[in-house]
Amino acid sequence: MSNTFSYLVIISGVILLALGMSFIALQAHHENSFMTFGRFGSRPAVVSLSSVLQAHGGATDIDWQRFSQQGTLTYYTGLSSVSRQQVQRKLNFLTDGPNMKYDRASLGSAQTYLFLGDRLVRTTSETGTKQEAKEVEGVEAAGIKFQIATFGLAPVLKRLSDPGAKVRFVSSGSKGDQFEVKTSSGFWYFYCSSSHLIERLEIGEITVTYDDYRTIDGLKMPFHQNVSKGDTLLYEISLEAFTLKPVFARGLFQS
């Protein structure tokens, strides 16, 4: 059992390392946001960012600043079909403007990540026993921020709707309508279908694909996604619940 657990920890570390490297491409100009976007350039386009946002949120602008969502993250260990093992984590993400709380639970343990200003603090619980909170930095912090920034489409839409976003339409091709997002570290891209729904992100070596679109409270949201590095699937997420503008308890975003 200890060897299996250690192997899962190693696999988790590899995933976080891959995500952490790609998170660099997501960093933007604003200090208090790890994924802010804006419009730039004046190139005319048949497809606009406004049409993309309206396709997901309807005819009126949606305030994506406060929402909650739950889902299941699944990844696989082992190199062969014989040794392959499925591992799942239950995810719960809550955000109210800059305040964020991210819970992951699996294998009798749970981790809660809180954003406290510029700090990311992790609290781990083993079999219900809460351990000491610890500030997270480096690869783990970058990997967790990447997971949050691409968990479902709401975090992406939240940042694309920022008035300071730097986004431009590039072209239409086999992958769909391509948009370029400029950040302080370079560029990343997203692709939309003919109905203007986002189906793909390309961030460094990481590709995120979204599918199984459903309508919930008038919003069109994908309920399944794959996160890959090249041809290797890192993990997939099934969205199970989404609530826009929930009422949070006082003190929820405090350690």
Side-chain angles (χ1 to χ4, degrees):
M1 176 65 72
S2 60
N3 290 337
T4 300
F5 180 76
S6 297
Y7 181 69
L8 296 182
V9 170
I10 293 173
I11 293 295
S12 298
V14 170
I15 292 175
L16 287 177
L17 177 60
L19 299 183
M21 296 300 292
S22 291
F23 174 72
I24 296 175
L26 286 174
Q27 289 180 304
H29 298 282
H30 304 292
E31 290 183 355
N32 294 327
S33 175
F34 55 80
M35 195 176 165
T36 46
F37 308 90
R39 301 160 182 78
F40 70 96
S42 57
R43 174 180 175 179
V46 175
V47 184
S48 67
L49 178 59
S50 295
S51 64
V52 174
L53 295 174
Q54 289 180 4
H56 292 86
T60 58
D61 292 336
I62 299 296
D63 182 1
W64 297 98
Q65 292 302 305
R66 188 172 77 250
F67 63 85
S68 65
Q69 57 186 10
Q70 295 78 43
T72 299
L73 182 151
T74 302
Y75 66 94
Y76 302 89
T77 65
L79 300 178
S80 67
S81 58
V82 176
S83 61
R84 196 178 191 192
Q85 181 180 355
Q86 183 186 84
V87 181
Q88 292 188 325
R89 296 181 185 273
K90 288 294 183 180
L91 308 180
N92 183 36
F93 177 60
L94 314 171
T95 181
D96 187 358
N99 301 314
M100 288 175 278
K101 183 174 183 286
Y102 182 52
D103 299 314
R104 305 190 309 170
S106 67
L107 298 175
S109 67
Q111 299 87 38
T112 295
Y113 294 87
L114 275 175
F115 286 81
L116 304 175
D118 295 331
R119 301 166 56 226
L120 175 59
V121 176
R122 181 194 66 217
T123 301
T124 302
S125 300
E126 298 286 348
T127 62
T129 302
K130 188 175 181 179
Q131 298 181 353
E132 183 178 2
K134 179 181 179 181
E135 185 170 353
V136 178
E137 300 175 329
V139 170
E140 181 181 0
I144 291 300
K145 291 176 181 179
F146 185 96
Q147 281 190 12
I148 292 173
T150 57
F151 172 20
L153 201 57
V156 177
L157 294 171
K158 176 181 178 179
R159 290 159 179 85
L160 289 178
S161 62
D162 187 317
K166 295 188 176 179
V167 181
R168 72 179 180 93
F169 173 74
V170 178
S171 64
S172 296
S174 59
K175 297 179 184 178
D177 297 322
Q178 182 187 31
F179 287 79
E180 180 182 77
V181 183
K182 183 179 181 180
T183 75
S184 60
S185 301
F187 302 90
W188 64 273
Y189 303 89
F190 68 90
Y191 299 81
C192 300
S193 67
S194 58
S195 56
H196 308 315
L197 298 177
I198 297 175
E199 295 186 332
R200 182 184 184 94
L201 310 180
E202 291 181 354
I203 307 163
E205 296 181 309
I206 302 296
T207 299
V208 184
T209 56
Y210 298 98
D211 58 79
D212 190 18
Y213 265 90
R214 306 178 193 177
T215 301
I216 176 170
D217 294 333
L219 306 175
K220 292 184 178 179
M221 304 291 288
F223 272 66
H224 179 264
Q225 68 186 81
N226 285 335
V227 179
S228 305
K229 181 180 181 182
D231 295 329
T232 301
L233 176 66
L234 297 178
Y235 60 86
E236 59 184 299
I237 293 178
S238 295
L239 186 66
E240 295 163 356
F242 176 83
T243 304
L244 187 65
K245 296 183 179 180
V247 177
F248 295 128
R250 179 176 298 182
L252 179 65
F253 298 101
Q254 298 177 0
S255 60

